[in-house]
Amino acid sequence: MRFDGGGEIIGAARRVEIGSVLLEMRCWPCWALPRPHHLLPGCPSKMVPYLWKGRRRLGVSVFRTLLEQCSVKAELQGWNQTEGLMPAESASRGDLLEPHDASSMEGTSSGEDEAEAEDDSAPYIGQRFPTHDAAYEFYGGFAKRRGFSIRRHRTEGKDGVGKGLTRRYFVCHRAGNAPAKPFGDGATPQRNRRSSRCGCRALLRIGRDAGAAGLEWRVTGFSDHHNHELLRQDQARALPPACRVIAGSDRDRILMLAKSGISVQQMVRILELEKCVEPGSLPFAEKDVRNLIHSFRRFDQEEENADLLKMCRIFKEKDPNFKYDFTRDAHNRLENIAWSYASSIQSYELFGDALVYDTSHRLTAVDMALGIWIGMNNHGMPCFFGGALLREENLQSFTWALQVFLNFMNRKAPRTILTDQNVYLKEAVEKELPNTKHAFSIWLIAARFPSWFSGVLGEHYNDWEKEFYRLYNMESTIDFDLGWSGMVDCYGLHGNRDISSLFASRSSWASPYLRGHFSAGLTDSPGVSKSINDFIQRLLSAQRYPSRFIEQVALVVDYKDQAGEQQNLQNISFKTATPMEGHAAAILTPYAFSNLQDELVASAHYASFNLEGDVFLVRHHTKTEGGCIVTWNQMEELISCSCQMFESSGILCRHTLRVLTTLNYLQIPDHYLPVRWHRNLPPPSKSLNGAPNHGGASERVKALQCTVSALVSEAAKSDERMDLATHEVSVLLSRIRQQPVSVNVSGDSAHSSLAAVAKHFISSENVNISK
């Protein structure tokens, strides 16, 4: 359409002249129109006038007026108000297309038609909608195809007041400017996040037209001019949530995968593999998948929560020593729940000096955060202390979880607790465990390294990771700080937010800064972290059966406990043949003895120099500088080293072992062989599950435990002893089962009976061994 009256008529167009306005109307069949033009009051029976270009500028009302002035009214026969003429109907009329019309259509390129069809989906002035929500939905679909998002802006009028709501504005999500943040006093932390708003002026304005029946909202303004780049279709996941839509097929697939109990991250990876796209190229994000699962499980979660409570009650009936606690929210829904098994409470009594509280997992069946308390037993294997499911990961929930856990464990606090870098969890630990050393777990931090640094470092990432762990295992804090500066310079990490955050919190995770704080070896070797991660994955596999989750976790815990008991049966090989080595082998578990043995072998390569009194300098024989200072107190048989290995792990270091050898010690003092690493552990203070709780029951259990522990220790020394013990225990067990059950057994008779059994067994053992 031209408004200057000049130019040639393109193709077969009908020329209509109104004053100084020259309109060019291309003729198209009704069924070929991109949009049904049922809003037009009249059109010729053969052709429908279609304004070429500029029709949006005129609007439907102006277009209708022009048609009326041009006297081109006609009654449309067979006109369908919603779909227009069908191709079959058009073909039945021989005079639909004139020869020159067909030639003109042949001369039009297909690319021009496609561009027009695509452009035709854009809003235009005069377009009508039944509701303002329908207009918002239409504009949102257009925005998604174009590569931007929209949001509701200001309104004019108000429902129920005067004329009511009369006008609405929908703008690009980058419209306007970010409001200036007020300057705080520094007490309240603020996120330094850059705003996405850049003053974009793209908008859609609709007004209310009370005179139109059924279509009361009309487009009165539209601008599609953006001052920023638009996203491609493969970048749709970077849009705000309003433009990230999960297709129906993907939604069904996600819900099916959710029933299998796998994590959201694994679901997204499976979809990426199935669609053969690069990671991060799906049109939706992990948060969208999580929201979808949450929306479909709102009604199922109450049933799952009821099953969890029911399972806890069943456990409590079977085992009175099983402990659990829970809270409900204002709507009487399960908010938090924590539990611990009887065996876990007994393990904590022996090995609860250091533990890990891992809160980085979720139970997808009930959409709750899963917190796991894990420690390390005397065999160097993970042991489960307790678990908690939290609806919200906030200060109140973490505080409640720690309080309940301490109640489970008779208010016995650990010496060291390792957690993730969570602000709320850190504050909760400081509040509930003021005398406990709080540190960050290194493997929970290292799990984020690929997402933090792989894109920044590229092919140098593996070299950087090796350098990081070299610095992590240093002994001196000064050397660590100097090495860190060199690493930042070498890999160009100046200004990197993640590397700066790590260095700022180094006192909570770096090994040189944590020396002297007992960790039971939880932060020493990569093998320990791998063992704990494998154990956690076995626990997470239990969520495939949500209603039986607590029962399945109990099976995993029992399996690990049985595996730990079998570690005592390992054969031990001596490397130094010294009395000190033999003494330690008889007391420590194979795991603890192996660590001590490595230090004992290494001590032979170190030289000790008596500086003054009971102070020694110990260093490697190939070095002339450095070394560790060992202090010896002969009166109390106390020894300490500047490396603080014993304070951190409970195992004497090579430096102290070298000094003890120099002082002609043939055995390690007993107080330097901690009970937590002993092969034969003392019985727990509480009675075993199912034992009667009347007089003498606790003493009976302790006496039986000591006898069985001595039996296992002696039998593990040779295959012949093991065969004999297995045979004799089988015979003894069969004899016990034949005896009648008597509840009222006094403690004295129990002691005498157990003593007689032990004496008989040991004497028969000695006779058979001598043979």
Side-chain angles (χ1 to χ4, degrees):
M1 181 178 69
R2 300 188 185 89
F3 294 92
D4 55 359
E8 299 179 357
I9 298 176
I10 304 176
R14 180 173 302 174
R15 190 166 85 170
V16 180
E17 187 171 356
I18 303 175
S20 61
V21 179
L22 177 66
L23 301 178
E24 292 177 358
M25 297 181 290
R26 183 174 298 228
C27 299
W28 294 91
C30 298
W31 56 266
L33 293 177
R35 184 190 296 107
H37 281 65
H38 57 276
L39 298 179
L40 304 182
C43 58
S45 58
K46 294 183 179 180
M47 300 294 174
V48 176
Y50 189 77
L51 291 178
W52 188 259
K53 306 291 185 184
R55 64 190 183 283
R56 301 186 186 88
R57 229 173 302 156
L58 290 174
V60 176
S61 59
V62 178
F63 182 37
R64 183 189 297 114
T65 303
L66 292 176
L67 292 178
E68 292 173 353
Q69 293 179 4
C70 295
S71 300
V72 291
K73 297 181 181 179
E75 195 70 22
L76 179 62
Q77 299 177 358
W79 175 260
N80 189 309
Q81 291 294 326
T82 57
E83 298 181 359
L85 292 176
M86 299 300 294
E89 299 175 4
S90 302
S92 64
R93 300 178 182 179
D95 55 350
L96 268 179
L97 293 176
E98 297 178 5
H100 57 270
D101 290 335
S103 62
S104 66
M105 292 180 67
E106 292 175 1
T108 304
S109 63
S110 60
E112 184 180 353
D113 296 339
E114 293 176 359
E116 171 63 19
E118 181 180 358
D119 184 66
D120 194 57
S121 63
Y124 58 91
I125 296 178
Q127 187 177 5
R128 294 179 178 272
F129 298 96
T131 62
H132 57 81
D133 290 331
Y136 180 80
E137 182 179 355
F138 178 83
Y139 189 36
F142 167 75
K144 182 181 179 182
R145 290 188 295 271
R146 289 273 288 147
F148 68 99
S149 179
I150 63 172
R151 58 183 172 87
R152 291 178 173 87
H153 195 39
R154 64 188 182 92
T155 61
E156 295 182 9
K158 186 177 181 180
D159 287 333
V161 179
K163 296 182 179 181
L165 188 63
T166 58
R167 184 172 295 178
R168 295 213 62 162
Y169 292 81
F170 307 131
V171 299
C172 175
H173 73 286
R174 302 193 67 176
N177 296 307
K181 293 184 178 180
F183 292 99
D185 55 356
T188 303
Q190 295 184 359
R191 291 187 301 175
N192 187 18
R193 188 175 63 177
R194 183 179 180 183
S195 174
S196 63
R197 300 189 180 185
C198 60
C200 181
R201 307 187 70 84
L203 63 84
L204 177 72
R205 184 180 66 243
I206 58 175
R208 192 169 187 174
D209 188 359
L215 299 170
E216 57 178 280
W217 289 93
R218 175 175 173 269
V219 177
T220 59
F222 172 66
S223 173
D224 196 29
H225 299 288
H226 299 266
N227 62 351
H228 56 89
E229 295 184 0
L230 302 180
L231 299 177
R232 302 188 306 270
Q233 287 296 324
D234 58 350
Q235 297 175 324
R237 70 190 308 269
L239 290 172
C243 279
R244 299 198 302 261
V245 181
I246 302 179
S249 58
D250 293 336
R251 181 168 56 251
D252 296 338
R253 180 65 171 157
I254 289 171
L255 295 178
M256 185 187 70
L257 293 174
K259 294 180 180 179
S260 64
I262 64 176
S263 65
V264 173
Q265 185 178 7
Q266 291 172 328
M267 294 181 198
V268 173
R269 185 55 182 156
I270 290 174
L271 292 174
E272 291 172 346
L273 294 175
E274 290 178 347
K275 295 179 178 294
C276 300
V277 298
E278 294 294 327
S281 299
L282 291 175
F284 46 85
E286 290 185 12
K287 184 177 181 180
D288 302 321
V289 177
R290 198 180 306 280
N291 292 338
L292 174 66
I293 296 174
H294 178 71
S295 63
F296 274 83
R297 282 180 174 164
R298 264 181 289 183
F299 302 101
D300 298 335
Q301 284 178 4
E302 292 302 319
E303 182 179 354
E304 298 291 349
N305 295 338
D307 291 339
L308 286 174
L309 293 176
K310 181 180 178 181
M311 181 60 62
C312 289
R313 295 189 183 100
I314 293 175
F315 258 92
K316 188 67 175 179
E317 293 175 358
K318 294 181 179 179
D319 183 4
N321 292 322
F322 173 80
K323 296 183 179 181
Y324 76 100
D325 196 359
F326 64 94
T327 61
R328 295 183 180 273
D329 59 13
H331 302 284
N332 201 30
R333 296 177 300 186
L334 182 65
E335 183 180 27
N336 304 308
I337 183 171
W339 75 96
S340 182
Y341 309 101
S343 60
S344 300
I345 297 174
Q346 295 175 0
S347 297
Y348 183 83
E349 184 179 349
L350 298 171
F351 314 117
D353 42 16
L355 57 85
V356 178
Y357 184 36
D358 188 355
T359 58
S360 60
H361 307 281
R362 296 188 70 85
L363 189 63
T364 56
V366 292
D367 193 28
M368 300 175 73
L370 175 62
I372 306 173
W373 287 279
I374 298 178
M376 180 180 290
N377 62 12
N378 55 337
H379 301 287
M381 300 182 65
C383 55
F384 178 84
F385 293 148
L389 290 171
L390 308 176
R391 182 68 61 188
E392 300 291 341
E393 297 182 71
N394 52 29
L395 177 60
Q396 180 181 0
S397 298
F398 287 132
T399 302
W400 175 88
L402 291 175
Q403 289 175 350
V404 172
F405 179 75
L406 289 177
N407 293 334
F408 289 167
M409 305 306 169
N410 301 315
R411 305 304 300 178
K412 177 185 176 181
R415 295 168 57 183
T416 303
I417 182 171
L418 304 175
T419 68
D420 198 2
Q421 292 176 300
N422 188 297
V423 178
Y424 297 125
L425 184 55
K426 180 180 180 181
E427 186 174 348
V429 170
E430 293 176 353
K431 178 181 178 182
E432 299 299 325
L433 302 171
N435 299 323
T436 299
K437 173 61 179 179
H438 182 208
F440 297 146
S441 175
I442 183 60
W443 69 81
L444 293 177
I445 296 177
R448 300 188 179 94
F449 283 174
S451 61
W452 286 354
F453 304 115
S454 60
V456 177
L457 299 174
E459 59 182 6
H460 301 292
Y461 172 75
N462 292 333
D463 297 334
W464 172 86
E465 190 176 27
K466 293 178 181 178
E467 177 65 14
F468 173 84
Y469 282 110
R470 186 187 71 84
L471 297 175
Y472 173 78
N473 292 316
M474 282 186 169
E475 296 183 359
S476 171
T477 57
I478 298 177
D479 294 340
F480 176 86
D481 293 345
L482 294 176
W484 189 274
S485 300
M487 180 190 68
V488 172
D489 294 337
C490 178
Y491 293 95
L493 295 175
H494 293 283
N496 185 279
R497 182 179 59 183
D498 298 317
I499 207 74
S500 300
S501 176
L502 278 176
F503 185 73
S505 61
R506 63 190 182 281
S507 60
S508 297
W509 60 265
S511 180
Y513 287 89
L514 296 179
R515 292 189 181 276
H517 299 282
F518 186 77
S519 63
L522 290 172
T523 61
D524 290 348
S525 63
V528 173
S529 61
K530 183 179 184 303
S531 175
I532 293 180
N533 283 329
D534 292 342
F535 179 61
I536 292 176
Q537 293 304 318
R538 288 182 61 88
L539 293 178
L540 294 177
S541 65
Q543 66 175 313
R544 297 178 182 176
Y545 312 98
S547 60
R548 303 172 55 192
F549 176 72
I550 296 179
E551 180 183 3
Q552 295 296 319
V553 172
L555 296 177
V556 177
V557 173
D558 292 340
Y559 172 79
K560 278 294 182 181
D561 292 341
Q562 295 174 6
E565 294 175 358
Q566 296 176 359
Q567 297 296 318
N568 270 333
L569 305 180
Q570 293 181 356
N571 294 326
I572 294 177
S573 59
F574 295 92
K575 298 180 180 180
T576 63
T578 60
M580 189 179 295
E581 184 182 25
H583 174 246
I587 297 178
L588 301 180
T589 61
Y591 168 79
F593 173 72
S594 176
N595 293 333
L596 180 65
Q597 190 179 48
D598 292 340
E599 297 297 317
L600 190 60
V601 172
S603 66
H605 301 277
Y606 282 74
S608 63
F609 306 93
N610 190 353
L611 298 181
E612 57 178 355
D614 295 331
V615 179
F616 296 83
L617 173 64
V618 182
R619 63 186 175 205
H620 198 269
H621 70 94
T622 60
K623 296 183 179 180
T624 58
E625 296 180 354
C628 293
I629 301 298
V630 178
T631 304
W632 164 249
N633 187 337
Q634 184 176 3
M635 295 294 297
E636 300 180 5
E637 286 191 333
L638 297 179
I639 191 169
S640 62
C641 180
S642 60
C643 73
Q644 296 182 312
M645 177 177 173
F646 179 79
E647 291 78 3
S648 301
S649 63
I651 302 295
L652 283 178
C653 63
R654 60 195 63 182
H655 314 109
T656 55
L657 291 173
R658 177 59 186 171
V659 172
L660 290 177
T661 302
T662 303
L663 297 174
N664 297 323
Y665 266 76
L666 301 181
Q667 293 183 355
I668 298 176
D670 292 339
H671 50 273
Y672 288 111
L673 297 174
V675 177
R676 75 158 349 265
W677 298 124
H678 280 196
R679 181 189 295 267
N680 302 320
L681 294 171
S685 60
K686 291 190 176 182
S687 59
L688 291 177
N689 304 336
N693 200 22
H694 48 74
S698 178
E699 289 75 10
R700 294 169 59 194
V701 170
K702 290 181 180 180
L704 181 58
Q705 280 186 324
C706 293
T707 303
V708 173
S709 179
L711 171 63
V712 174
S713 178
E714 293 295 331
K717 293 181 179 180
S718 66
D719 294 338
E720 292 79 6
R721 290 190 175 195
M722 181 60 64
D723 295 337
L724 176 61
T726 303
H727 173 71
E728 293 292 339
V729 168
S730 300
V731 174
L732 179 61
L733 183 60
S734 62
R735 290 175 55 188
I736 292 175
R737 288 175 176 172
Q738 294 175 1
Q739 300 298 319
V741 178
S742 178
V743 178
N744 297 321
V745 180
S746 64
D748 296 337
S749 61
H751 280 298
S752 59
S753 301
L754 289 173
V757 171
K759 182 177 180 180
H760 169 74
F761 180 81
I762 294 174
S763 61
S764 62
E765 177 187 3
N766 293 334
V767 172
N768 286 280
I769 291 175
S770 63
K771 291 180 180 180

